[in-house]
Amino acid sequence: MRILVCEDEKTMNSSICTTLKNAGYYADSCYDGIESIDYALSGDYDLIIMDIMMPRMTGDRVVKEVRLHGVKTPVIFLSAMGGYYVKGLDAGGDYFIEKPFDSERLLAVIRKFVRSQAGTGTNILSCADLVVNILNRDVKRGGKPIRLTKQEYDFLEFLMVNKGQIKNKNDISKALSSYIGDEERTSNWVTVVINKLHHKIDDGFDKQLLVNYHGFGWSISEDRKI
């Protein structure tokens, strides 16, 4: 899988590329918007990782431009400003990750794109009648809206991206700890958030989707495996 990394901060660009290469992906780097257009138009990429605040041309404008040229490559936008996710997705992006982020979170999202074959259905994550729309962070179960805190949503999205996989405290903490302030984090903060999430998405429904595999971890799954 060939991935284009468009990030002007060279240390972060290098870190992302190292993570990708260690995971078995081929990665190219570019550092400004105009260069990103040249790469995207000339290279046969399976995925583009695009920072929004790029010099010479912003990432959302880059994506609009390459979409006009018929480039349909899925785009994951990166930004330290969470409010930019609508702007990026409206420009033709497929996913948004807010900085700072953990490398495991990025890899989990990439695996989602791999499984969905280059972008098919990537805006919707589902498990049985639980549906998450990543464009607007809308969560519904059985058609009924579910209101989540940002923290609860981040946990749910992580588990949905890794649907069917059992994730323990260390997995979840490593992937999401950058979103949690020190004052919020306790020795059992993962369990506390998971329990709140479980009540919100499973209470009142016959089928339990957030499964606790005692001694192993948690998973969003339609079928219990242990």
Side-chain angles (χ1 to χ4, degrees), residues 156-225:
L156 177 61
E157 184 182 288
F158 175 73
L159 292 172
M160 290 287 280
V161 167
N162 294 279
K163 184 174 71 173
Q165 300 180 40
I166 299 173
K167 297 296 181 180
N168 60 33
K169 282 186 179 182
N170 288 336
D171 296 327
I172 298 171
S173 180
K174 184 177 180 182
L176 299 177
S177 61
S178 58
Y179 297 89
I180 310 300
D182 290 337
E183 70 282 0
E184 298 175 283
R185 191 182 300 116
T186 63
S187 60
N188 67 335
W189 69 278
V190 170
T191 302
V192 170
V193 178
I194 287 287
N195 286 340
K196 290 179 180 178
L197 181 60
H198 165 64
H199 287 301
K200 288 188 177 183
I201 69 172
D202 281 331
D203 282 0
F205 295 92
D206 292 334
K207 192 166 191 176
Q208 179 180 336
L209 298 180
L210 204 172
V211 182
N212 182 355
Y213 296 91
H214 295 285
F216 294 90
W218 300 270
S219 177
I220 292 287
S221 177
E222 297 182 55
D223 302 301
R224 203 177 175 98
K225 297 178 180 178

Side-chain angles (χ1 to χ4, degrees), residues 39-65:
Y39 270 80
L41 295 181
S42 62
D44 185 17
Y45 294 102
D46 300 295
L47 184 66
I48 297 172
I49 297 173
M50 175 72 66
D51 183 34
I52 289 185
M53 299 307 293
M54 295 276 282
R56 299 178 71 193
M57 181 180 287
T58 58
D60 57 304
R61 289 180 59 200
V62 169
V63 173
K64 284 182 179 179
E65 183 68 24

Side-chain angles (χ1 to χ4, degrees), residues 52-181:
I52 289 185
M53 299 307 293
M54 295 276 282
R56 299 178 71 193
M57 181 180 287
T58 58
D60 57 304
R61 289 180 59 200
V62 169
V63 173
K64 284 182 179 179
E65 183 68 24
V66 300
R67 292 290 189 245
L68 289 175
H69 285 80
V71 175
K72 298 181 180 179
T73 308
V75 176
I76 298 174
F77 274 116
L78 308 176
S79 178
M81 294 173 283
Y84 272 64
Y85 80 93
V86 173
K87 185 176 183 180
L89 296 173
D90 282 347
D94 299 273
Y95 205 95
F96 178 92
I97 298 178
E98 186 174 350
K99 297 178 180 177
F101 57 88
D102 188 274
S103 60
E104 287 301 314
R105 178 177 172 85
L106 176 62
L107 290 175
V109 173
I110 291 172
R111 288 193 293 270
K112 170 64 181 176
F113 277 87
V114 172
R115 290 195 300 270
S116 58
Q117 298 183 337
T120 302
T122 53
N123 291 335
I124 301 295
L125 305 174
S126 64
C127 180
D129 58 348
L130 177 64
V131 179
V132 177
N133 186 330
I134 64 172
L135 287 173
N136 54 16
R137 298 193 167 199
D138 182 62
V139 179
K140 292 181 180 179
R141 176 136 193 219
K144 177 183 176 182
I146 298 174
R147 297 185 65 180
L148 301 178
T149 66
K150 182 181 185 299
Q151 192 177 110
E152 290 163 353
Y153 176 85
D154 288 339
F155 273 55
L156 177 61
E157 184 182 288
F158 175 73
L159 292 172
M160 290 287 280
V161 167
N162 294 279
K163 184 174 71 173
Q165 300 180 40
I166 299 173
K167 297 296 181 180
N168 60 33
K169 282 186 179 182
N170 288 336
D171 296 327
I172 298 171
S173 180
K174 184 177 180 182
L176 299 177
S177 61
S178 58
Y179 297 89
I180 310 300

Side-chain angles (χ1 to χ4, degrees), residues 7-20:
E7 165 62 61
D8 63 302
E9 209 288 304
K10 292 189 176 181
T11 300
M12 176 169 283
N13 193 313
S14 176
S15 176
I16 293 172
C17 287
T18 297
T19 294
L20 297 177

